[in-house]
Amino acid sequence: MDAMNNSEAPKEALYTDIKSFFDSAPPLTHGPDISRKLNEFIGRNSVSSGKGNRVVCVTSGGTTVPLEQRCVRYIDNFSSGHRGAASTEYLVKAGYSVIFLYRRGTCQPYCRSLPDNPLLECFESINESNIQVCQSHSEAVRRAISEHHAAVAEGLLLKLPFTTIFEYLQILQLIAISLRSLGPSAMFYLAAAVSDFYVPWESMAEHKIQSGSGPLDMRLVQVPKMLSVLRKEWAPTAFCISFKLETDSKILLEKAGMALKKYGMHAVVANELLTRKEEVVVVTSSGMISVHRDNTQSGADVERPLIELLVERHSAYIEASTI
Ligand code: 9Z3
């Protein structure tokens, strides 16, 4: 047997973990349908279609870890989906076509200015057979519908939902492999909050775990780090941005810097849970840039300057790749 050098051994172990994650994951129920939608969407945006748009995969919301195969209980990851939804709107405005991979039930693009329960709060019944938009919400409803409709009709937005970590990683792999054909014009903006630990499908209880059997003892396995495989194997020429979330500001930037190197990301957006809507720090190999929400503008959010900066970096990356 050939001797392995130090870097090959962990790589082998990672590939084994990834293989066992995918082998044991329950198959996607709509896998062929997702692949068809992806191929159509990417085909419509490819150079050969005459469009040659940049395409970005935005991930948004938190993944769940089921504790039972017929799932009643699960472990969840915090994320409202606001970051992904807002960023999608700015990316479409900047000329990107967006594959929005989102957790079911989280915030959606173009719906941020609507109340929590838009159907019940934005509409009123005028008689037995007619309803109308309430005056107070009419501008927000009109904007949400027309902007969303325009993005979908122009083929600039494809929405794909997930719930579990199994669905998320399987769909992300399908997207990454499909985007490979676009080379450096493809971008990944990985804002979803992804579970670090999971229960492998084959060791998971089939039925609802019974409470009568005393304290619950359960072994969670580490979710294999897919970022490096995404970067190196699935879509090696795409521009990749991941996010680092911490609650302790003292370790945030160091951990973001480590992720940048370890996974070969082009940028890591560092954010702290409490201040994530005010400030983020973009960490790249050439330094760190702090990005703030413009408090002098009403309705301004941190995603606007963040996307401006990342689009600029992506343009420079494309230019450097074509020399
Ligand atoms: C983020 O850090 C996102 O910015 C937030 C956005 C989840 C904080 P909201 O959806 O919040 O607007 O409420 N996402 C990535 C979190 C994550 O799981 N990162 C992993 C890590 O920190 C790396 S993939 O280890």
Side-chain angles (χ1 to χ4, degrees), residues 60-61 77-84 190-196 225 227 242-246 259 263 269-273 276-277 280 303:
S60 185
N77 253 38
F78 164 81
S79 169
S80 67
H82 180 277
R83 173 89 76 222
L190 304 166
V194 183
S195 318
D196 283 325
K225 297 291 180 195
L227 287 183
S242 70
F243 280 69
K244 189 78 206 164
L245 174 66
E246 293 294 343
Y263 307 126
V269 181
N271 57 170
E272 214 188 304
L273 188 65
R276 71 189 191 284
K277 295 193 171 189
V280 297
E303 285 79 13

Side-chain angles (χ1 to χ4, degrees), residues 65-68 70-75 208-211:
V65 170
L67 301 185
E68 298 125 343
R70 302 185 190 203
C71 182
V72 176
R73 280 76 156 242
Y74 55 86
I75 301 172
K208 180 171 174 261
I209 297 166
Q210 297 300 306
S211 60

Side-chain angles (χ1 to χ4, degrees), residues 153-174:
E154 288 168 38
L156 303 177
L157 180 60
L158 173 65
K159 298 207 275 185
L160 299 173
F162 68 83
T163 302
T164 67
I165 180 72
F166 300 113
E167 287 177 304
Y168 173 79
L169 287 174
Q170 289 181 89
I171 303 175
L172 183 64
Q173 186 187 35
L174 287 178

Side-chain angles (χ1 to χ4, degrees), residues 11-185:
K11 201 168 132 188
E12 283 289 318
L14 175 65
Y15 287 167
T16 309
D17 290 350
I18 290 175
K19 188 172 177 329
S20 76
F21 179 91
F22 283 120
D23 284 352
S24 77
L28 285 173
T29 37
H30 304 295
D33 191 39
I34 295 171
S35 296
R36 184 188 48 79
K37 285 182 180 162
L38 276 170
N39 288 337
E40 281 173 15
F41 187 78
I42 293 166
R44 269 201 305 274
N45 287 287
S46 66
V47 179
S48 57
S49 74
K51 248 185 171 176
N53 271 1
R54 294 183 190 179
V55 180
V56 56
C57 167
V58 173
T59 69
S60 185
T63 59
T64 67
V65 170
L67 301 185
E68 298 125 343
Q69 290 181 352
R70 302 185 190 203
C71 182
V72 176
R73 280 76 156 242
Y74 55 86
I75 301 172
D76 207 350
N77 253 38
F78 164 81
S79 169
S80 67
H82 180 277
R83 173 89 76 222
S87 304
T88 293
E89 294 177 30
Y90 291 118
L91 283 159
V92 168
K93 250 189 210 143
Y96 283 73
S97 299
V98 181
I99 299 166
F100 183 64
L101 177 58
Y102 70 97
R103 162 76 179 275
R104 286 182 183 86
T106 56
C107 190
Q108 295 293 297
Y110 307 108
C111 295
R112 292 180 295 134
S113 50
L114 299 178
D116 280 350
N117 199 337
L119 190 63
L120 297 180
E121 291 176 56
C122 295
F123 295 90
E124 58 194 4
S125 139
I126 34 177
N127 56 41
E128 286 276 290
S129 48
N130 287 302
I131 53 165
Q132 68 179 17
V133 184
C134 306
Q135 190 59 37
S136 54
H137 292 298
S138 65
E139 179 48 26
V141 170
R142 192 199 57 74
R143 261 200 47 216
I145 293 174
S146 65
E147 290 183 11
H148 178 263
H149 186 265
V152 174
E154 288 168 38
L156 303 177
L157 180 60
L158 173 65
K159 298 207 275 185
L160 299 173
F162 68 83
T163 302
T164 67
I165 180 72
F166 300 113
E167 287 177 304
Y168 173 79
L169 287 174
Q170 289 181 89
I171 303 175
L172 183 64
Q173 186 187 35
L174 287 178
I175 297 172
I177 291 171
S178 316
L179 281 180
R180 215 188 264 164
S181 61
L182 299 187
S185 301

Side-chain angles (χ1 to χ4, degrees), residues 302-318:
V302 69
E303 285 79 13
R304 183 198 294 258
L306 173 63
I307 295 301
E308 257 170 39
L309 173 68
L310 294 172
V311 167
E312 217 178 275
R313 293 298 166 113
H314 187 203
S315 302
Y317 174 76
I318 293 173

